[in-house]
């Protein structure tokens, strides 16, 4: 059984009184013991959850040596006592074992995927039974389907529609059902990736009459940079929300001033709002959308960072955003290629005005792949001059399904690259996919026969349901945050924290992502890119990114000087803002306790002052070359 709340409280404060922003924060006082209303009952449950999480490593509250960590079995046993509801998510473990067994075979931890998975690995393996070549030698974009660019005007597609294959129609309907978006209220357009979807909106939104663009992102995103750059070219006045240090919650007073309009009749512009941060896990109130709509803004809801089934809690009819964007990828831990969906409310379609070019770059079709063409000697989609130009503008990216920073993509390094033990290199892939894009599907063509194929991963999420997925991801991310904060360097006075968490710490309502940095025994930050590289070597895929738009109150001015770095544009390398480079991790319904335990065990290795030097020499011995540190 758990310790009494008072015992846990005293023990945690004895370890750390809350004087250090990176230590265990002082727990809030429990709600007063009066007759409970629904709000006080909710507050009590949240308090008990946070206290239980802090006790999840009992009897220890800090660790100064990686060898002192409890075993996986011991940790998991106590984890189940602290989070008794976690056992209700056992069906997710069964799904993982039966449909995503490659994760266990490869012993790989994937915490760098953000977006929604379409297919299971079992589908990938069974898609082409009896195929002589290994399926793993397929180019990334050729699995399940390809995508081809369309020369079409966005307004024409929204107003009149276009002919689409039965295959693409099946995919569209399945995604709209999964996203809980009504076909009566919204049209959906497939785009190559998230930057392409944002660029479409920027090119067609009437910034000449509704001049403002207001975004709410606490991290650097190449997709948002594309939106801002394209909007500025069309005359937009661009501003952003700011985020208060150290918890990185929205600076409410500042954002309210930017939203509230003194002129009630005229539309202010476009308000781009994610419900949570894909970097820090901060959740934002729905009320910001309501306030924007009340003050004559058009609203674009970015749902790309939401977890599976999170849209079930939204109730679109209550907010009716004018536009909605979400990303999908093919196979978790195996194939991060995919596409983005742009939803446009039918009653808002008239807002969009034709762009200067007339045609819309970035709109794509989903193309089912025939089995004989799965091993083509040349691209399945032959590039014309026009499609080649479009492919050059939006090259294949694996990032919309991935973390915060991407190479050439939407915001992180290519996700899932470590997962793939393929016989094909990325340079070979680039040659094949120069003219064709990635995507997701619900049907394939096998041996010349058309066979409808379900989006099984969406089905898995549906079968688990919102409540089970919330229980699972909430338990895992909070345990990981607490475990990381328990690591402290030895022989450093009070103990220098080995990890700093940015954004919410242990919090019942936090999202399933965390941003953190690792520090050495002198308190100096270790380069996040190096942490990511060493994690890769340990078969753990993490992401890196930049936090930005941070507002430091006067009392934190000293921390501003110490923590801030120069953030540069991913597209132009221009200096953008001061910010903080971080490591990020994201959990989903396919993540299990062993995954987060392995991350904790890996990060604990930095408690050894010689760890970096040892890893450098080990790398040199294996690869005959030196890793730069």
């Amino acid at each position: 059984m758990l310790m009494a709340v008072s015992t846990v409280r005293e023990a945690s404060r004895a370890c750390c009184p809350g004087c250090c922003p990176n230590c265990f924060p002082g727990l809030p006082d429990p709600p007063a013991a009066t007759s409970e209303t629904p709000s006080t009952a909710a507050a009590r449950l949240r308090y008990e959850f946070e206290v239980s999480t802090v006790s999840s490593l009992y009897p220890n509250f800090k660790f100064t040596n990686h060898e002192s960590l409890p075993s996986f079995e011991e940790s998991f046993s106590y984890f189940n006592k602290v989070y008794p509801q976690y056992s209700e998510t056992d069906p997710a473990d069964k799904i993982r074992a039966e449909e995503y067994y490659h994760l266990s075979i490869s012993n790989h931890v994937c915490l760098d995927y953000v977006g929604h998975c379409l297919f299971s690995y079992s589908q990938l393996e069974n898609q082409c039974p009896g195929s002589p070549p290994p399926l793993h030698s397929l180019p990334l974009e050729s699995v399940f389907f390809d995508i081809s660019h369309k020369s079409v005007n966005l307004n024409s597609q929204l107003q009149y529609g276009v002919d689409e294959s039965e295959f693409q129609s099946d995919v569209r309907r399945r995604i709209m059902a999964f996203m809980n978006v009504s076909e009566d209220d919204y049209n959906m357009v497939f785009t190559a990736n998230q930057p392409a979807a944002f660029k479409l909106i920027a090119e067609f939104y009437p910034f000449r009459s509704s001049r403002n663009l207001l975004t709410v992102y606490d991290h650097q995103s190449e997709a948002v940079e594309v939106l801002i750059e394209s909007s500025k070219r069309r005359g937009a006045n661009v501003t952003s929300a700011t985020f208060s240090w150290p918890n990185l919650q929205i600076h409410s007073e500042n954002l309210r001033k930017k939203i509230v309009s003194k002129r009630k009749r005229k539309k202010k512009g476009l308000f781009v709002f994610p419900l949570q941060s894909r970097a820090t896990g901060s959740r934002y109130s729905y009320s910001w959308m309501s306030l924007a709509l009340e003050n004559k803004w058009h609203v674009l809801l970015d749902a790309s960072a939401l977890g599976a089934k999170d849209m079930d809690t939204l109730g679109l009819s209550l907010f009716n955003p004018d536009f909605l964007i979400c990303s999908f990828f093919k196979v978790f831990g195996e194939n991060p290629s995919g596409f983005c969906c742009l939803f446009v409310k039918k009653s808002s379609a008239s807002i969009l005005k034709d762009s200067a070019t007339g045609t819309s770059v970035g709109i794509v079709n989903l193309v089912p792949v025939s089995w004989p063409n799965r091993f083509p000697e040349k691209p399945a989609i032959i590039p014309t001059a026009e499609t080649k130009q479009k492919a050059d503008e939006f090259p294949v990216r694996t990032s919309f399904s991935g973390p915060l920073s991407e190479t050439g993509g939407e915001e992180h390094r290519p996700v899932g690259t470590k997962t793939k033990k393929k016989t094909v290199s990325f340079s070979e892939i680039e040659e094949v996919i120069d003219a064709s894009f990635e995507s997701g599907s619900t049907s394939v063509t096998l041996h010349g026969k058309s066979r409808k194929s379900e989006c099984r991963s969406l089905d898995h999420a549906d079968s688990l349901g919102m409540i089970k997925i919330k229980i699972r991801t909430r338990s895992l991310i909070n345990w990981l945050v607490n475990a990381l904060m328990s690591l402290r360097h030895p022989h450093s006075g009070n103990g220098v924290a080995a990890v700093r968490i940015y954004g919410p710490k242990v919090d019942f309502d936090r999202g399933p992502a965390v941003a953190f940095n690792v520090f050495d025994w002198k308190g100096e930050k270790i380069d996040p890119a190096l942490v990511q590289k060493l994690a890769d070597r340990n078969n753990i895929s993490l992401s890196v990114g930049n936090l930005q738009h941070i507002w430091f109150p006067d009392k934190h001015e000293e921390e501003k000087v110490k923590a801030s770095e120069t953030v540069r544009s991913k597209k132009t390398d221009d200096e953008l803002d001061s910010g903080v480079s971080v490591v990020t991790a994201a959990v989903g319904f396919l993540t299990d306790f062993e995954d987060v335990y392995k991350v904790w065990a890996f990060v604990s290795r930095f408690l050894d002052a010689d760890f970096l030097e040892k890893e450098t020499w080990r790398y040199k011995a294996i690869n005959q070359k030196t890793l730069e540190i």
Side-chain angles (χ1 to χ4, degrees):
M1 297 296 293
L2 298 178
M3 294 186 298
V5 167
S6 59
T7 305
V8 178
R9 184 184 181 84
E10 291 170 8
S12 64
R13 283 183 169 168
C15 165
C16 175
C19 59
C20 167
N22 194 45
C23 302
F24 295 116
L27 292 172
D29 292 326
T34 58
S35 56
E36 283 195 327
T37 65
S39 61
T40 56
R44 177 180 56 79
L45 290 173
R46 281 166 169 74
Y47 171 79
E48 291 175 354
F49 175 87
E50 292 170 13
V51 169
S52 297
T53 297
V54 171
S55 75
S56 63
L57 300 174
Y58 181 76
N60 296 303
F61 288 92
K62 64 179 179 179
F63 298 88
T64 58
N65 187 319
H66 70 276
E67 295 179 347
S68 68
L69 266 60
S71 68
F72 165 75
E73 291 76 16
E74 183 182 355
S75 298
F76 190 42
S77 174
Y78 207 77
F79 173 87
N80 280 314
K81 292 177 182 177
V82 170
Y83 304 112
Q85 287 184 307
Y86 186 81
S87 61
E88 297 175 17
T89 74
D90 286 349
D93 293 312
K94 183 178 180 181
I95 288 171
R96 174 173 164 139
E98 294 178 354
E99 296 281 345
Y100 305 87
Y101 42 83
H102 64 297
L103 297 172
S104 298
I105 293 172
S106 65
N107 199 32
H108 187 252
V109 176
C110 299
L111 299 185
D112 60 344
Y113 276 68
V114 174
H116 300 297
C117 178
L118 292 166
F119 308 106
S120 71
Y121 183 81
S122 177
Q123 282 182 282
L124 175 65
E125 291 287 279
N126 296 328
Q127 186 183 359
C128 307
S131 57
L135 198 60
H136 294 289
S137 64
L138 292 173
L140 290 177
E141 87 291 355
S142 295
V143 180
F144 293 106
F145 57 85
D146 289 316
I147 70 177
S148 64
H149 285 279
K150 297 171 62 175
S151 289
V152 62
N153 181 282
L154 175 60
N155 276 329
S156 297
Q157 173 139 341
L158 293 175
Q159 292 175 23
Y160 308 113
V162 293
D163 292 335
E164 62 179 355
S165 65
E166 180 183 356
F167 166 75
Q168 181 167 306
S169 179
D170 288 341
V171 178
R172 178 178 51 76
R173 285 195 295 268
R174 181 66 185 95
I175 286 176
M176 294 191 79
F178 178 78
M179 294 293 293
N180 201 24
V181 176
S182 169
E183 293 186 61
D184 293 333
D185 298 325
Y186 286 84
N187 288 316
M188 192 186 96
V189 177
F190 291 99
T191 69
N193 48 35
Q194 191 176 4
F198 272 137
K199 186 176 176 64
L200 277 174
I201 291 296
E203 292 294 337
F204 282 80
Y205 187 79
F207 283 115
R208 294 188 183 280
S209 57
S210 303
R211 299 190 65 85
N212 297 297
L213 172 65
L214 175 55
T215 62
V216 186
Y217 291 87
D218 65 1
H219 60 273
Q220 188 179 11
S221 161
E222 187 171 339
V224 177
E225 285 186 22
V226 168
L227 171 67
I228 290 173
E229 183 181 305
S230 299
S231 300
K232 281 182 175 178
R233 284 201 300 264
R234 303 195 63 244
N237 173 37
V238 178
T239 57
S240 172
T242 55
F243 301 86
S244 301
W245 185 270
N247 63 9
L248 298 185
Q249 287 298 311
I250 291 174
H251 186 196
S252 298
E253 182 181 357
N254 176 272
L255 182 56
R256 182 175 294 275
K257 286 180 180 178
K258 292 177 178 178
I259 291 177
V260 174
S261 174
K262 296 178 181 178
R263 303 170 65 181
K264 296 295 184 181
R265 294 183 180 180
K266 186 177 180 182
K267 282 293 183 181
K268 292 277 289 184
L270 183 63
F271 178 63
V272 183
F273 181 73
L275 282 169
Q276 69 184 35
S277 167
R278 66 184 297 174
T280 63
S282 295
R283 289 192 185 273
Y284 310 131
S285 172
Y286 298 151
S287 63
W288 290 113
M289 283 195 292
S290 297
L291 183 65
L293 290 168
E294 290 169 7
N295 285 273
K296 306 298 183 180
W297 289 81
H298 294 120
V299 173
L300 188 160
L301 174 61
D302 181 357
S304 297
L306 294 181
K309 307 308 295 174
D310 277 359
M311 287 292 290
D312 286 3
T313 67
L314 178 59
L316 277 183
S317 60
L318 298 177
F319 302 100
N320 289 312
D322 301 282
F323 315 102
L324 188 147
I325 283 176
C326 194
S327 299
F328 294 81
F329 60 89
K330 289 181 180 176
V331 182
F332 177 74
E334 178 69 14
N335 192 329
S337 62
F339 54 80
C340 185
C341 295
L342 168 62
F343 302 86
V344 179
K345 189 167 66 172
K346 291 182 178 179
S347 61
S348 300
S350 59
I351 296 168
L352 303 176
K353 308 299 180 183
D354 285 347
S355 68
T357 59
T359 58
S360 306
V361 176
I363 297 178
V364 298
N365 271 333
L366 306 188
V367 181
V369 179
S370 298
W371 168 241
N373 294 331
R374 285 206 168 276
F375 305 94
E377 295 181 1
K378 53 187 177 181
I381 302 173
I382 306 300
T384 63
E386 184 174 24
T387 59
K388 176 67 175 174
Q389 179 267 325
K390 292 181 178 181
D392 288 340
E393 180 157 0
F394 290 103
V396 175
R397 317 200 187 274
T398 60
S399 50
F400 33 70
S401 51
L404 267 177
S405 69
E406 337 161 307
T407 52
E410 186 226 4
E411 325 175 39
H412 261 82
R413 72 185 174 111
V415 296
T417 54
K418 175 70 172 170
T419 316
K420 311 199 67 58
K421 304 199 170 172
K422 305 283 186 196
T423 60
V424 60
S425 69
F426 270 95
S427 59
E428 294 170 322
I429 291 171
E430 287 170 0
E431 293 175 5
V432 177
I433 61 183
D434 190 27
S436 61
F437 278 87
E438 326 137 51
S439 281
S441 113
T442 57
S443 71
V444 292
T445 305
L446 296 180
H447 304 287
K449 295 182 180 180
S450 178
R451 174 173 70 89
K452 185 173 181 180
S453 152
E454 74 274 28
C455 289
R456 199 176 294 172
S457 191
L458 301 186
D459 296 341
H460 292 152
D462 283 341
S463 69
L464 290 171
M466 178 192 67
I467 294 176
K468 284 188 175 66
I469 292 174
K470 285 283 191 185
I471 290 172
R472 188 176 184 89
T473 57
R474 178 185 291 126
S475 303
L476 292 173
I477 196 65
N478 277 285
W479 185 92
L480 177 60
V481 167
N482 184 60
L484 290 175
M485 292 196 302
S486 73
L487 303 177
R488 307 188 71 79
H489 288 287
H491 314 304
S492 55
N494 267 337
V496 173
V499 175
R500 176 160 196 161
I501 304 295
Y502 300 88
K505 297 179 176 60
V506 174
D507 189 335
F508 182 87
D509 295 311
R510 66 166 297 126
V514 59
F516 66 95
N517 271 317
V518 182
F519 293 81
D520 65 18
W521 65 275
K522 294 179 289 186
E524 296 179 358
K525 186 171 83 172
I526 298 171
D527 182 4
L530 177 58
V531 175
Q532 183 194 45
K533 192 176 295 185
L534 294 176
D536 272 342
R537 208 186 296 168
N538 286 270
N539 227 20
I540 297 171
S541 291
L542 302 172
S543 299
V544 293
N546 290 303
L547 304 180
Q548 60 181 12
H549 304 309
I550 301 172
W551 177 70
F552 290 85
D554 291 342
K555 64 181 180 180
H556 293 296
E557 189 63 30
E558 186 176 336
E559 286 191 74
K560 177 180 180 180
V561 175
K562 185 176 180 180
S564 297
E565 309 157 21
T566 299
V567 175
R568 294 187 175 276
S569 168
K570 295 177 182 297
K571 291 181 68 63
T572 64
D573 199 40
D574 293 336
E575 194 172 306
L576 291 179
D577 192 6
S578 62
V580 181
S581 58
V582 293
V583 181
T584 68
V587 305
F589 74 88
L590 292 173
T591 307
D592 63 12
F593 179 76
E594 187 174 6
D595 289 336
V596 294
Y597 179 85
K598 285 179 177 178
V599 173
W600 184 43
F602 161 70
V603 175
S604 73
R605 300 290 302 280
F606 289 90
L607 295 174
D608 180 355
D610 298 324
F611 174 62
L612 291 179
E613 184 177 354
K614 291 174 183 176
E615 286 294 294
T616 301
W617 283 106
R618 187 171 76 88
Y619 188 82
K620 184 177 181 180
I622 295 173
N623 297 278
Q624 300 301 310
K625 60 183 179 180
T626 303
L627 169 69
E628 286 187 20
I629 294 183

